[in-house]
Amino acid sequence: MAAISNIGLQFPRNLSNAKKENVVTKGEVLWLSFYSSRNTNKSNNEKRRFSLVTASYNDNSPGKVDTINGTKVNGTHVAEVHLSAGKLANESAVDAALVNSLHGRFVEGKLVYRQIFAIRSYEIGPDKTATMETLMNFLQETALNHVNSSGIGGDGFGATRQMSLRKLIWVVTRIQVQVQRYSKWGDEIEVHTWVDAAGKNGMRRDWIIRDHYTKEIITKATSTWAIMNRETRRLSKMPDQVKQELSPFYLYNRLAIASEETDCEKINKLTDDNAERIQSGLAPRWNDMDANQHVNNVKYIGWMLESVPTEVLQDYNMTSMTLEFRRECMQSDLLESMTSPTAKVIGESDNNSSNRKPHLQYTHLLRLQDDRSDVLRARTEWHLKQNEQ
């Protein structure tokens, strides 16, 4: 076994006396990857995490890596990897190969794409857990890398080649997210995503987030997408050429959220008369815009929460969220955020069940301040945080 020691690794004691050895020129070799993490399982307290990385070598090209963890690295040359205080030979090439292997990869053939993330300090909220915006960013990043890794990606933001040729882009119409628990700073998660057709002109995308080590499902999400013309900003039919690109990647009849749990209920519109709280004067910034020249959908969540009472944000976790996107939001727009409670349930709750009853339910609306047209309708469910019960 060979291991990298000069990039901040800590090794188990049984490797402390490991001798220098050369990398084999064919077959497979294992080494320890370079991270440690906090285990949030209460029974195990804190543990150092060491992960084995698998590299395969080409018989015809001694010393050149073909794959790392099943990901092609285009014949990266590794002259020698060993445990010593000296410099690692060809260190930059190994680093590049390792980084490439962590970008994500296909599993289950080319039907499911998986990507691993670590929860960083700037991705957590006041309670030291990942925010809903962080989870949504993970979902979006994995979806985009799924398209780019599929070989059908065009020059657009997640668009296929045929979409790019026709100046078409994806727009999300509805997202539902269910959160079993929020990961903490230092935790590592893996996001799995896949797609399916949604009617004649739409696409469905599902995600599951698991704890990287225990494989526990901690978040489930589903979404529907439509195609828009980038120049006219109007919805478009899906061309047959685009359907042909996408259909080999469709995973039929697999739902991240079971049909009986899917939120299909109409989200009622809030008005000045029935909204309990209204926050006005919300203005998009330049950095809120995405590559499709409109406000990124993740930004809507923060604006939506602007009108939620602070004591709810402090004492409760959002365990379910359904977003219904009504129109685009541009940088010149000024928004109002509106919120009203729709239900309050007091009683025992099974926190391990996706069917548990919420303690609080809210309806939300984001609208343009000038003409009051809807931008986003939403519904959220909340549970009292465990340490507050």
Side-chain angles (χ1 to χ4, degrees):
M1 175 180 287
I4 306 170
S5 64
N6 62 341
I7 51 175
L9 283 178
Q10 298 184 32
F11 295 97
R13 291 179 181 176
N14 62 353
L15 286 182
S16 60
N17 296 321
K19 295 181 179 180
K20 170 180 175 180
E21 60 180 72
N22 293 332
V23 172
V24 297
T25 58
K26 61 182 178 179
E28 293 188 341
V29 65
L30 301 176
W31 67 78
L32 287 170
S33 69
F34 51 89
Y35 58 82
S36 64
S37 175
R38 176 173 296 175
N39 181 1
T40 56
N41 189 324
K42 294 182 180 179
S43 63
N44 294 327
N45 297 320
E46 283 192 20
K47 286 185 178 179
R48 293 287 180 183
R49 300 285 192 181
F50 295 91
S51 176
L52 288 174
V53 178
T54 303
S56 65
Y57 292 81
N58 191 316
D59 290 347
N60 300 321
S61 304
K64 289 190 176 182
V65 178
D66 271 352
T67 65
I68 292 184
N69 282 356
T71 301
K72 284 282 186 181
V73 293
N74 298 324
T76 299
H77 182 76
V78 182
E80 192 177 49
V81 184
H82 58 80
L83 281 170
S84 71
K87 265 194 170 184
L88 177 67
N90 213 350
E91 179 180 320
S92 60
V94 175
D95 286 348
L98 286 172
V99 169
N100 185 49
S101 72
L102 297 175
H103 279 176
R105 66 186 183 94
F106 283 97
V107 294
E108 300 185 44
K110 276 204 167 186
L111 298 179
V112 179
Y113 188 80
R114 186 192 73 178
Q115 187 157 358
I116 298 171
F117 298 92
I119 308 300
R120 306 182 188 279
S121 60
Y122 51 82
E123 295 169 330
I124 62 175
D127 59 359
K128 300 179 182 180
T129 63
T131 65
M132 179 61 82
E133 292 97 317
T134 293
L135 297 182
M136 292 289 285
N137 280 323
F138 289 159
L139 301 185
Q140 181 173 270
E141 180 70 10
T142 306
L144 291 173
N145 287 333
H146 181 195
V147 176
N148 290 339
S149 300
S150 67
I152 63 172
D155 59 5
F157 200 51
T160 68
R161 290 196 188 98
Q162 292 296 328
M163 288 175 64
S164 296
L165 290 174
R166 292 163 175 78
K167 301 179 181 179
L168 301 175
I169 60 175
W170 288 113
V171 290
V172 61
T173 58
R174 191 177 179 95
I175 293 180
Q176 181 184 354
V177 182
Q178 293 180 348
V179 181
Q180 298 298 311
R181 67 172 176 85
Y182 287 86
S183 300
K184 296 181 179 180
W185 175 31
D187 286 353
E188 294 181 39
I189 63 170
E190 55 186 51
V191 184
H192 297 241
T193 188
W194 61 93
V195 294
D196 194 359
K200 293 182 179 180
N201 293 299
M203 184 181 73
R204 172 183 176 130
R205 179 175 287 279
D206 286 48
W207 298 268
I208 285 179
I209 300 180
R210 299 177 184 269
D211 180 280
H212 181 43
Y213 298 105
T214 68
K215 306 305 178 184
E216 169 199 4
I217 295 178
I218 55 181
T219 300
K220 298 183 288 185
T222 187
S223 61
T224 54
W225 298 74
I227 287 180
M228 173 186 284
N229 186 287
R230 187 173 61 224
E231 294 185 346
T232 66
R233 314 308 286 188
R234 293 187 177 184
L235 295 182
S236 169
K237 290 184 178 181
M238 184 183 292
D240 290 338
Q241 295 87 343
V242 175
K243 293 179 181 179
Q244 292 171 7
E245 285 181 311
L246 295 173
S247 58
F249 297 92
Y250 285 161
L251 181 56
Y252 299 104
N253 301 320
R254 180 182 295 186
L255 307 176
I257 299 176
S259 56
E260 61 270 19
E261 298 177 42
T262 302
D263 184 2
C264 298
E265 185 180 347
K266 179 182 177 181
I267 301 177
N268 295 323
K269 179 178 180 178
L270 291 181
T271 66
D272 292 317
D273 295 329
N274 61 17
E276 185 176 274
R277 298 170 63 92
I278 301 177
Q279 179 69 43
S280 302
L282 302 173
R285 302 167 301 172
W286 171 253
N287 287 338
D288 294 331
M289 309 297 289
D290 66 19
N292 286 328
Q293 304 306 313
H294 57 204
V295 173
N296 190 288
N297 65 78
V298 176
K299 301 295 182 180
Y300 292 170
I301 300 172
W303 292 333
M304 180 183 77
L305 298 180
E306 286 288 332
S307 55
V308 174
T310 302
E311 57 270 22
V312 173
L313 300 176
Q314 178 178 326
D315 298 335
Y316 291 79
N317 278 325
M318 188 197 304
T319 53
S320 179
M321 176 182 72
T322 301
L323 305 178
E324 186 181 281
F325 299 89
R326 312 289 288 190
R327 60 163 293 164
E328 289 185 288
C329 179
M330 311 307 243
Q331 190 185 2
S332 59
D333 292 328
L334 205 59
L335 296 163
E336 288 183 323
S337 175
M338 307 169 69
T339 291
S340 185
T342 54
K344 185 174 183 179
V345 182
I346 302 297
E348 292 297 322
S349 174
D350 178 7
N351 283 319
N352 292 319
S353 171
S354 59
N355 295 316
R356 61 192 188 275
K357 292 182 179 180
H359 295 136
L360 297 174
Q361 288 181 332
Y362 282 95
T363 300
H364 311 267
L365 175 70
L366 287 180
R367 70 183 184 186
L368 298 183
Q369 193 165 303
D370 57 355
D371 64 5
R372 299 188 176 184
S373 58
D374 294 2
V375 173
L376 173 77
R377 293 187 190 182
R379 179 166 40 242
T380 58
E381 296 180 353
W382 304 72
H383 278 79
L384 195 65
K385 293 179 180 178
Q386 291 186 13
N387 59 0
E388 297 291 336
Q389 292 182 4

